[in-house]
């Protein structure tokens, strides 16, 4: 699909972000057709370029996180570099930044200055603690947001310290809220006179917003949700079990009818018919009993047999997938969730597919993360800089 057929075609987005939250927010926009211009420091660019596994010196993560984006370099310690960025934002619909609050104001790129020059601008601001409050000046990465926002406290087993998920989930959640907020602000701009606004996303609040019934349960009952391992507290049965061949399977049989089918399938019609287990409250009261018998049933059979039995009974279940499982799985393949792209040297490699699936105007990968500054001259030219001016900026160290 061409860029102009994508739903965000025609939007210009300036990214003043590094690493995860800001760049993931703009990645979503770029995947769906926005022209995302990523501003990077000339001396190395976004640190994500060197994070995790490198191929010929560049992070494989980078190629995903910066797909469909244009990379320009600007030295924000040089007045002409700042002026380049200011002119770029004046022509933009959205700017996304994840600096610590106050940094852009010192550069003359604060909300007040930018709004005066571009009244329709939508500014997405992602930070650890938001743009106000006593913690706003503190640094805050995703791990801090996950801790303050409540996620880390409930993650893990009750007899051990809190653990993290294996990815920077707090940053990614904040990025999603940033993208949603930007689209809300654009909608408001369309129907209410063309004025832009600030979308203020704090990482800890983005995580906190996902914490289900945590707040009212504490307020009304004084209940503090604690770590509970692999079970879903208060909802039974929903757990992960180990099979005879050492594989792990997650089973969600907490619907009333599903539970009955599950018990029939594992040879316990007596429990399927037990009136005390007919609803979730009764099952949760006998949680330990139910999990012990499910553990024992799974431990007697290999993974394939367990999954086949549960599939035949229409009980929701899945192996706990590794990435190797995903590469071979027919559902991932059918939904094009692992797609092919090419590295700069021509080598084919696999990258994640696009989410969500839009029926009429789907997103897509046009190119993978670009080389540092690959689009600097092109973008400068769109702002009226001629070849001589571009050469002068480069010689001066401004770009």
């Amino acid at each position: 699909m061409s860029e102009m057929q994508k739903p965000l075609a025609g939007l210009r987005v300036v990214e003043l972000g590094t690493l995860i939250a800001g760049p993931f927010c703009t990645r979503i926009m770029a995947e769906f057709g926005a022209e995302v211009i990523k501003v990077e420091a000339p001396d190395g660019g976004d640190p994500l370029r060197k994070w995790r596994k490198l191929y010929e010196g560049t992070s494989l993560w980078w190629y995903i996180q910066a797909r469909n984006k244009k990379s320009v370099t600007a030295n924000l310690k040089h007045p002409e570099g700042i002026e380049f960025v200011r002119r770029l934002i004046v022509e933009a619909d959205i700017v996304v930044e994840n600096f610590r609050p106050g940094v852009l104001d010192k550069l003359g790129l604060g909300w007040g200055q930018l709004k005066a020059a571009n009244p329709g601008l939508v500014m997405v601001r992602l930070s650890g603690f938001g743009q106000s409050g006593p913690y706003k000046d503190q640094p805050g990465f995703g791990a801090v947001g996950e801790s303050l926002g409540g996620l880390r406290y409930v993650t893990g087993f009750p007899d051990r310290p809190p653990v993290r998920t294996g990815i920077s989930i707090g940053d990614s959640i904040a990025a999603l809220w940033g993208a949603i907020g930007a689209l809300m602000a654009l909608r408001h701009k369309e129907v209410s006179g063309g004025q832009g606004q600030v979308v203020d996303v704090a990482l800890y609040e983005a995580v906190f917003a996902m914490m289900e019934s945590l707040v009212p349960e504490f307020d009304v009952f004084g209940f503090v949700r604690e770590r509970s391992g692999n079970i879903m507290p208060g909802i039974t049965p929903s757990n992960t079990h180990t099979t005879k061949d050492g594989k792990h399977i997650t089973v969600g049989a907490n619907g009333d009818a599903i539970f009955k089918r599950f018990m029939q399938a594992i040879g316990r019609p007596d429990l399927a018919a037990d009136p005390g287990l007919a609803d979730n409250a009764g099952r949760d009261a006998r949680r330990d009993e139910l999990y012990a018998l499910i553990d024992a049933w799974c431990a007697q059979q290999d993974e394939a047999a367990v999954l086949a039995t549960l599939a035949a009974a229409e009980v929701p279940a899945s192996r706990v997938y590794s990435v190797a499982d995903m590469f071979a799985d027919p559902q991932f393949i059918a939904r094009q969730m692992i797609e092919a792209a090419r590295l700069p040297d021509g080598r084919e490699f696999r990258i994640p597919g696009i989410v969500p699936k839009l029926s009429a105007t789907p997103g897509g990968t046009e190119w993978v993360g670009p080389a540092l500054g690959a689009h600097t001259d092109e973008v400068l030219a769109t702002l009226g800089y001629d070849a001589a001016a571009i050469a002068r900026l480069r010689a001066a160290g401004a770009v």
Side-chain angles (χ1 to χ4, degrees), residues 3-261:
E3 287 292 283
M4 289 310 296
Q5 292 174 290
K6 292 180 180 179
L8 300 185
L11 285 178
R12 173 171 275 195
V13 180
V14 176
E15 180 198 306
L16 301 176
T18 59
L19 299 176
I20 304 175
F24 187 31
C25 176
T26 57
R27 166 187 158 185
I28 297 165
M29 299 175 191
E31 289 169 346
F32 287 90
E35 179 192 28
V36 175
I37 300 172
K38 180 177 179 66
V39 178
E40 300 185 76
D43 56 346
D46 191 331
L48 192 75
R49 289 177 175 273
K50 301 295 182 183
W51 273 29
R52 293 193 61 80
K53 300 291 186 181
L54 307 187
Y55 178 82
E56 294 189 351
T58 298
S59 167
L60 292 172
W61 189 359
W62 164 258
Y63 290 121
I64 304 167
Q65 192 80 315
R67 64 174 155 192
N68 297 0
K69 298 181 186 180
K70 296 178 178 179
S71 170
V72 304
T73 54
N75 183 356
L76 296 183
K77 297 178 182 178
H78 192 291
E80 290 191 279
I82 295 172
E83 175 59 16
F84 166 33
V85 173
R86 190 196 69 79
R87 289 175 63 173
L88 191 56
I89 295 172
V90 166
E91 301 294 325
D93 299 287
I94 301 170
V95 61
V96 177
E97 64 93 6
N98 62 352
F99 288 100
R100 206 182 302 185
V103 170
L104 288 182
D105 297 271
K106 293 176 183 177
L107 297 173
L109 298 173
W111 170 243
Q113 296 110 318
L114 296 177
K115 181 182 179 183
N118 182 357
L121 181 69
V122 171
M123 188 175 197
V124 180
R125 315 196 73 171
L126 295 132
S127 62
F129 304 99
Q131 302 298 312
S132 59
Y135 298 170
K136 70 180 178 65
D137 296 323
Q138 295 183 22
F141 281 173
V144 175
E146 292 163 27
S147 298
L148 188 65
L151 180 62
R152 294 283 181 102
Y153 188 85
V154 300
T155 304
F157 286 84
D159 59 342
R160 300 169 221 175
V163 299
R164 63 168 298 155
T165 58
I167 58 171
S168 301
I169 191 71
D171 288 295
S172 301
I173 291 171
L176 292 170
W177 285 122
I180 293 168
L183 295 178
M184 290 178 179
L186 287 177
R187 174 61 177 162
H188 169 76
K189 178 179 167 181
E190 289 173 0
V191 301
S192 302
Q195 291 294 306
Q197 61 182 301
V198 172
V199 178
D200 180 1
V201 180
L203 267 66
Y204 84 95
E205 291 169 358
V207 172
F208 177 67
M210 312 301 288
M211 293 305 296
E212 300 179 348
S213 55
L214 193 79
V215 167
E217 288 176 354
F218 175 72
D219 185 52
V220 175
F221 297 118
F223 176 78
V224 177
R225 187 179 294 190
E226 301 286 348
R227 291 181 290 286
S228 56
N230 287 320
I231 72 168
M232 178 67 75
I235 300 172
T236 302
S238 180
N239 201 353
T240 299
H241 309 274
T242 303
T243 61
K244 183 178 180 181
D245 51 350
K247 303 296 179 62
H248 306 293
I249 292 178
T250 295
V251 181
N254 43 284
D256 295 347
I258 296 171
F259 176 76
K260 291 180 179 180
R261 295 199 301 270

Side-chain angles (χ1 to χ4, degrees), residues 15 54 135 215 237 306 332 350-351 354 379:
E15 180 198 306
L54 307 187
Y135 298 170
V215 167
V306 171
F332 277 80
R350 299 295 185 271
I351 60 175
I354 305 294
V379 172

